[in-house]
Amino acid sequence: MLFRDLVELCSKLEKTTSRTEKVLYIAEFLKKLDLSEVKPAVWFLTGRIFPDYEDRKLDIGWATVSKVLKSLKSTGRLLAKPMTILELHRALLKISLVEGEGSRRKKERLLLSILSSMTPNEMEYFLRILFGEVRVGAADGLVLDAIGKVAGVDEDTVRRAYMFIADIGELAETALAKGAKGLRNATLQLFRPVRPMLAEMSYDIRSTIRELGGIAAFEYKYDGIRLQIHRKGNEIKVYTRRLTDVTNSLPDVVEIARNIRADEYVIDCEALSFKDGKPVRFQDLVKRIRRKYDVRRMVKEIPLEIRAFDLLYLNGKVLVDLPYAERWSLLEKIVDEEYLAKRIVTGDPNEAKRFLEESEKEGHEGLMAKKLDSPYTPGIRGKYWFKIKPAQTIDCVIIAAEWGHGRRRGWLSDYHLAVLDEDSGEFVMVGKTFKGLTDDEFEDMTKRLLGLKIGERGHIVYVKPRIVVEIAFNEIQRSPKYKSGLALRFARITRIRYDKSPYDVTTLSELKRLYEKQFEKKSRIEE
Ligand code: ATP
């Protein structure tokens, strides 16, 4: 199939507003694909080039693209033969593999040959994919529905299969190759990391206990790095929440994993480090992740420990459907106490409150409250886990930045913050901030943002939505100015979340829920 056919589908999708029709178009398209091209076709369609968990970059910025476009215009090249989806994907893979001396020129040449095979319309879609706009052809939700349709299974089955298969391209391939059975049988496998289970925000302990059925487990919420450890005999792999394999950067974690008393397991945990008895702050911890050089020095400087809190697999058995309380008692048997999350089980709000104070006094973030009979639901922010922390924050992605004045001159320092509108797949702006970063961080951020630049207007630089920041704010207000309809008042960055992908940011519907929640404590006059 040609890339051109995929672009045609995207234009067709843009022309209709009917969800059913869109799903139908995508399903028809999927059925026409050759098995070997399903993965790249679905990645392109959903605005990806490689699977989410692959740490692969094209390293092509705005400057390179505009240079190549210019040279294409000036040479007035004739249109080269249109590329198939597979050819285009192979060409992009090749670009990602170019390294070393002269790599810039090589990348430019490869990009030129890609672009010269495209009509202006195709180019537009291609550039959208290249610059990582989430909204290219279809939001993930539509493609998931289409996959369900192709395989003849309901929404829940597709979503459950997606938790375990984790890559939307591979999910589509499984549906097309193995049909309904393939999706129904999808389950956790060793060395195939799953998306971690997520938590809802809790507003107060008493109502959270009620919501969880009158009694709950409370665990320390550590301000560390989420890791998933897989082991089979001597083989141990460690993955981040973005499912990237970071085993080689974390020999100390591997060592701890080796001493866990089971031959085969998948453990969910938080990694953290202590200095002078106090937990090391998050921004220092992330230095350990994906570190490829000087690993030994870093291990000495910031030695990691783990706090395990869940067990997903043990000696040949997938445990995700077992109640959490049972998973915990198996976990307790194989992990030494020092490496387990601190935990109590109670229905008494005062006891939970005291435990929260203890956690904060020791320098941790707060508590997690967990439902005792809940399954492990990968990738889902369900009503089984609640996070209790004093400072409420959301996660936003930076979509643009403004050049600073005065003391901040020379830095991109005023950041446009966006959340994900999961219906349209777009990132929508909710505020701006220049607060919260140190000078060094401004410096570093400016460099990173310039590397992600996709355009500029006046003093505003537009960037690929890549960098996730945690944002504290005083209030959420209605806003006619922003398309999202909401604005954050006194937004400030509390940290840069290099461990999160733009798909992990707060969604617009979550923000709307938070907006409404405010009025449980405050009354409103407007509306
Ligand atoms: P936050 O931004 O508040 O750190 P998050 O957005 O990373 O949270 P959430 O699902 O909202 O993700 O909160 C759960 C996170 O808290 C987990 O991803 C994990 O990294 C961390 N965590 C710390 N301690 C625990 C624990 N005992 N159980 C589960 N998660 C824990």
Side-chain angles (χ1 to χ4, degrees):
M1 172 108 43
L2 295 177
F3 179 64
R4 187 160 296 177
D5 300 314
L6 189 134
V7 169
E8 207 171 283
L9 168 71
C10 294
S11 325
K12 242 164 83 178
L13 292 173
E14 272 185 9
K15 283 192 195 106
T16 171
T17 49
S18 152
R19 188 180 168 91
T20 330
E21 222 165 80
K22 285 188 195 208
V23 170
L24 210 68
Y25 288 156
I26 301 172
E28 273 168 19
F29 174 82
L30 290 178
K31 280 194 263 180
K32 277 193 248 151
L33 291 167
D34 206 60
L35 260 194
S36 62
E37 56 191 7
V38 173
K39 285 204 272 193
V42 170
W43 293 331
F44 289 152
L45 186 62
T46 52
R48 298 171 167 88
I49 297 178
F50 304 114
D52 295 344
Y53 55 82
E54 236 174 65
D55 195 14
R56 194 182 285 289
K57 280 191 203 83
L58 290 183
D59 205 14
I60 286 185
W62 185 67
T64 310
V65 172
S66 34
K67 190 167 161 204
V68 172
L69 284 176
K70 245 188 234 149
S71 83
L72 201 61
K73 252 194 206 147
S74 64
T75 53
R77 272 192 187 230
L78 286 179
L79 205 63
K81 204 167 112 295
M83 279 188 168
T84 64
I85 290 172
L86 263 185
E87 282 166 349
L88 177 60
H89 195 260
R90 284 201 193 112
L92 290 168
L93 190 64
K94 222 167 162 183
I95 293 185
S96 77
L97 294 172
V98 175
E99 269 180 21
E101 211 181 307
S103 65
R104 183 85 2 248
R105 287 200 61 80
K106 273 190 214 144
K107 283 182 195 255
E108 281 170 18
R109 231 176 297 131
L110 288 166
L111 186 65
L112 183 71
S113 74
I114 291 178
L115 288 174
S116 58
S117 76
M118 292 181 174
T119 63
N121 191 30
E122 288 163 39
M123 243 183 240
E124 190 199 315
Y125 276 98
F126 173 69
L127 291 180
R128 275 203 230 168
I129 296 172
L130 201 64
F131 288 138
E133 281 179 39
V134 168
R135 192 170 177 210
V136 174
D140 287 1
L142 284 177
V143 178
L144 291 180
D145 285 1
I147 291 173
K149 208 169 177 65
V150 168
V153 296
D154 60 21
E155 197 185 324
D156 286 350
T157 309
V158 182
R159 294 203 181 246
R160 188 178 156 83
Y162 189 31
M163 295 174 196
F164 297 117
I165 295 181
D167 168 48
I168 196 158
E170 194 171 331
L171 182 75
E173 191 186 67
T174 308
L176 285 157
K178 302 193 187 137
K181 209 165 154 212
L183 294 186
R184 282 198 197 105
N185 288 344
T187 186
L188 187 134
Q189 290 173 38
L190 280 175
F191 307 113
R192 288 285 324 238
V194 295
R195 292 172 190 280
M197 180 165 174
L198 304 171
E200 290 257 342
M201 279 181 206
S202 150
Y203 299 91
D204 73 285
I205 291 183
R206 195 175 295 273
S207 59
T208 299
I209 291 180
R210 217 178 307 125
E211 172 104 35
L212 293 177
I215 181 163
F218 291 87
E219 296 169 8
Y220 274 18
K221 181 168 179 6
Y222 299 98
D223 195 5
I225 293 164
R226 182 100 178 242
L227 294 178
Q228 204 175 101
I229 307 176
H230 290 226
R231 173 182 191 175
K232 186 178 169 75
N234 277 333
E235 189 168 6
I236 292 172
K237 293 253 180 237
V238 183
Y239 306 92
T240 63
R241 61 179 291 159
R242 296 179 73 168
L243 316 184
T244 314
D245 181 345
V246 288
T247 313
N248 292 336
S249 316
L250 307 178
D252 38 0
V253 173
V254 171
E255 200 43 46
I256 294 173
R258 207 171 291 290
N259 289 323
I260 288 175
R261 295 176 297 279
D263 245 12
E264 290 181 7
Y265 63 76
V266 175
I267 278 178
D268 195 358
C269 65
E270 196 80 351
L272 70 173
S273 184
F274 291 90
K275 197 166 184 188
D276 309 325
K278 284 192 277 183
V280 170
R281 62 182 182 161
F282 180 80
Q283 70 204 75
D284 290 325
L285 289 179
V286 288
K287 292 184 193 151
R288 287 289 318 271
I289 296 294
R290 292 199 222 170
R291 184 82 181 200
K292 297 204 174 93
Y293 53 95
D294 268 355
V295 170
R296 254 200 263 158
R297 184 171 62 84
M298 289 308 283
V299 169
K300 257 199 177 152
E301 219 169 273
I302 310 172
L304 293 180
E305 299 181 14
I306 64 163
R307 293 294 178 268
F309 50 77
D310 219 316
L311 182 63
L312 280 55
Y313 184 98
L314 181 64
N315 300 333
K317 285 205 189 77
V318 177
L319 308 182
V320 291
D321 291 322
L322 277 190
Y324 152 77
E326 282 179 41
R327 297 197 306 276
W328 178 274
S329 56
L330 292 170
L331 181 71
E332 245 179 348
K333 290 202 182 92
I334 61 170
V335 178
D336 287 342
E337 199 183 341
E338 60 174 324
Y339 295 132
L340 281 175
K342 257 202 186 168
R343 172 183 187 266
I344 58 168
V345 175
T346 183
D348 173 7
N350 292 325
E351 198 182 339
K353 233 172 251 164
R354 279 195 298 275
F355 197 51
L356 173 65
E357 281 160 15
E358 245 174 66
S359 161
E360 284 173 22
K361 215 164 77 197
E362 287 176 38
H364 304 299
E365 214 183 356
L367 295 180
M368 298 287 293
K370 299 185 177 177
K371 191 165 164 64
L372 292 172
D373 59 0
S374 60
Y376 189 93
T377 52
I380 292 184
R381 211 175 275 285
K383 298 250 174 235
Y384 297 140
W385 287 10
F386 285 87
K387 47 182 170 184
I388 302 167
K389 50 183 191 179
Q392 193 178 77
T393 56
I394 63 165
D395 293 314
C396 293
V397 64
I398 299 179
I399 53 171
E402 298 177 20
W403 289 108
H405 318 277
R407 218 182 69 75
R408 287 179 286 110
R409 184 178 296 277
W411 290 331
L412 282 170
S413 57
D414 204 2
Y415 306 117
H416 294 204
L417 308 168
V419 296
L420 178 66
D421 176 356
E422 65 278 47
D423 292 333
S424 67
E426 258 178 290
F427 289 118
V428 287
M429 193 161 162
V430 292
K432 285 205 257 180
T433 187
F434 55 83
K435 293 202 179 81
L437 297 189
T438 62
D439 287 3
D440 283 349
E441 284 170 331
F442 272 132
E443 188 94 41
D444 185 49
M445 190 64 121
T446 305
K447 273 195 221 128
R448 280 174 195 267
L449 288 171
L450 287 176
L452 295 169
K453 177 170 162 181
I454 51 172
E456 65 189 318
R457 205 173 52 213
H459 61 299
I460 305 176
V461 172
Y462 294 90
V463 294
K464 288 185 204 178
R466 282 287 182 280
I467 299 183
V468 178
V469 281
E470 187 183 85
I471 299 290
F473 50 88
N474 286 23
E475 205 178 56
I476 308 165
Q477 299 175 318
R478 281 210 174 280
S479 161
K481 195 166 99 197
Y482 296 136
K483 199 164 152 195
S484 64
L486 296 174
L488 303 174
R489 187 158 170 258
F490 297 132
R492 54 209 180 263
I493 297 176
T494 42
R495 55 183 155 150
I496 307 167
R497 295 292 306 249
Y498 290 120
D499 61 325
K500 282 199 170 184
S501 93
Y503 297 95
D504 294 328
V505 299
T506 302
T507 62
L508 185 56
S509 43
E510 276 166 352
L511 195 64
K512 283 182 180 157
R513 238 182 300 147
L514 283 179
Y515 171 80
E516 287 302 325
K517 277 273 178 198
Q518 299 176 130
F519 303 109
E520 283 174 10
K521 290 206 182 114
K522 286 182 193 156
S523 64
R524 57 180 141 185
I525 310 244
E526 29 136 22
E527 294 156 308

mmCIF file of all heavy atoms in Angstrom, residues 3 166 235 275-276 292 309 369 379 438 504:
data_model
loop_
_atom_site.group_PDB
_atom_site.id
_atom_site.type_symbol
_atom_site.label_atom_id
_atom_site.label_comp_id
_atom_site.label_asym_id
_atom_site.label_seq_id
_atom_site.Cartn_x
_atom_site.Cartn_y
_atom_site.Cartn_z
ATOM 1 N N PHE A 3 1.947 5.223 0.721
ATOM 2 C CA PHE A 3 1.736 6.220 1.762
ATOM 3 C C PHE A 3 0.593 7.146 1.328
ATOM 4 O O PHE A 3 -0.210 7.601 2.135
ATOM 5 C CB PHE A 3 3.027 7.020 1.982
ATOM 6 C CG PHE A 3 2.893 8.086 3.035
ATOM 7 C CD1 PHE A 3 2.635 7.749 4.352
ATOM 8 C CD2 PHE A 3 3.007 9.442 2.717
ATOM 9 C CE1 PHE A 3 2.487 8.726 5.336
ATOM 10 C CE2 PHE A 3 2.871 10.427 3.688
ATOM 11 C CZ PHE A 3 2.609 10.068 4.990
ATOM 12 N N ALA A 166 0.457 -3.280 24.489
ATOM 13 C CA ALA A 166 1.106 -1.974 24.725
ATOM 14 C C ALA A 166 1.479 -1.173 23.475
ATOM 15 O O ALA A 166 1.658 0.023 23.569
ATOM 16 C CB ALA A 166 2.338 -2.098 25.632
ATOM 17 N N GLU A 235 18.127 -14.007 33.844
ATOM 18 C CA GLU A 235 17.869 -12.826 33.031
ATOM 19 C C GLU A 235 16.953 -11.841 33.762
ATOM 20 O O GLU A 235 15.862 -12.198 34.213
ATOM 21 C CB GLU A 235 17.240 -13.244 31.699
ATOM 22 C CG GLU A 235 17.184 -12.055 30.794
ATOM 23 C CD GLU A 235 16.849 -12.389 29.358
ATOM 24 O OE1 GLU A 235 16.549 -13.559 29.061
ATOM 25 O OE2 GLU A 235 16.873 -11.440 28.557
ATOM 26 N N LYS A 275 20.181 10.122 50.883
ATOM 27 C CA LYS A 275 21.455 10.735 51.257
ATOM 28 C C LYS A 275 21.253 11.330 52.641
ATOM 29 O O LYS A 275 20.253 12.033 52.849
ATOM 30 C CB LYS A 275 21.808 11.814 50.236
ATOM 31 C CG LYS A 275 23.237 12.182 50.323
ATOM 32 C CD LYS A 275 23.705 12.976 49.152
ATOM 33 C CE LYS A 275 25.196 13.158 49.364
ATOM 34 N NZ LYS A 275 25.803 14.028 48.461
ATOM 35 N N ASP A 276 22.152 11.055 53.539
ATOM 36 C CA ASP A 276 22.019 11.487 54.939
ATOM 37 C C ASP A 276 20.633 11.144 55.473
ATOM 38 O O ASP A 276 19.974 11.975 56.125
ATOM 39 C CB ASP A 276 22.236 13.002 55.071
ATOM 40 C CG ASP A 276 23.510 13.445 54.393
ATOM 41 O OD1 ASP A 276 24.473 12.661 54.438
ATOM 42 O OD2 ASP A 276 23.529 14.546 53.787
ATOM 43 N N LYS A 292 24.148 6.154 29.804
ATOM 44 C CA LYS A 292 24.889 5.122 29.068
ATOM 45 C C LYS A 292 26.381 5.156 29.388
ATOM 46 O O LYS A 292 27.098 4.205 29.157
ATOM 47 C CB LYS A 292 24.673 5.309 27.571
ATOM 48 C CG LYS A 292 23.205 5.121 27.209
ATOM 49 C CD LYS A 292 23.012 4.728 25.752
ATOM 50 C CE LYS A 292 21.563 4.411 25.494
ATOM 51 N NZ LYS A 292 20.777 5.534 25.025
ATOM 52 N N PHE A 309 5.762 -2.553 45.342
ATOM 53 C CA PHE A 309 4.376 -2.456 45.820
ATOM 54 C C PHE A 309 3.393 -3.348 45.062
ATOM 55 O O PHE A 309 2.225 -3.390 45.404
ATOM 56 C CB PHE A 309 3.896 -1.008 45.853
ATOM 57 C CG PHE A 309 4.126 -0.239 44.580
ATOM 58 C CD1 PHE A 309 3.313 -0.437 43.484
ATOM 59 C CD2 PHE A 309 5.161 0.689 44.501
ATOM 60 C CE1 PHE A 309 3.521 0.274 42.316
ATOM 61 C CE2 PHE A 309 5.380 1.406 43.328
ATOM 62 C CZ PHE A 309 4.557 1.200 42.233
ATOM 63 N N ALA A 369 -3.682 5.121 48.435
ATOM 64 C CA ALA A 369 -4.717 4.296 49.063
ATOM 65 C C ALA A 369 -5.168 3.287 48.026
ATOM 66 O O ALA A 369 -5.407 3.655 46.872
ATOM 67 C CB ALA A 369 -5.886 5.171 49.485
ATOM 68 N N GLY A 379 -2.209 0.484 32.721
ATOM 69 C CA GLY A 379 -2.486 1.642 31.874
ATOM 70 C C GLY A 379 -3.735 2.410 32.239
ATOM 71 O O GLY A 379 -4.064 3.395 31.597
ATOM 72 N N THR A 438 15.095 26.929 37.838
ATOM 73 C CA THR A 438 16.332 27.617 38.213
ATOM 74 C C THR A 438 17.005 28.121 36.931
ATOM 75 O O THR A 438 16.620 27.720 35.834
ATOM 76 C CB THR A 438 17.307 26.642 38.890
ATOM 77 O OG1 THR A 438 17.627 25.620 37.931
ATOM 78 C CG2 THR A 438 16.709 25.987 40.117
ATOM 79 N N ASP A 504 0.910 10.904 28.553
ATOM 80 C CA ASP A 504 0.605 10.709 29.976
ATOM 81 C C ASP A 504 0.089 11.971 30.654
ATOM 82 O O ASP A 504 -0.188 11.947 31.850
ATOM 83 C CB ASP A 504 1.874 10.293 30.745
ATOM 84 C CG ASP A 504 2.375 8.939 30.339
ATOM 85 O OD1 ASP A 504 1.538 8.107 29.982
ATOM 86 O OD2 ASP A 504 3.598 8.724 30.376
#
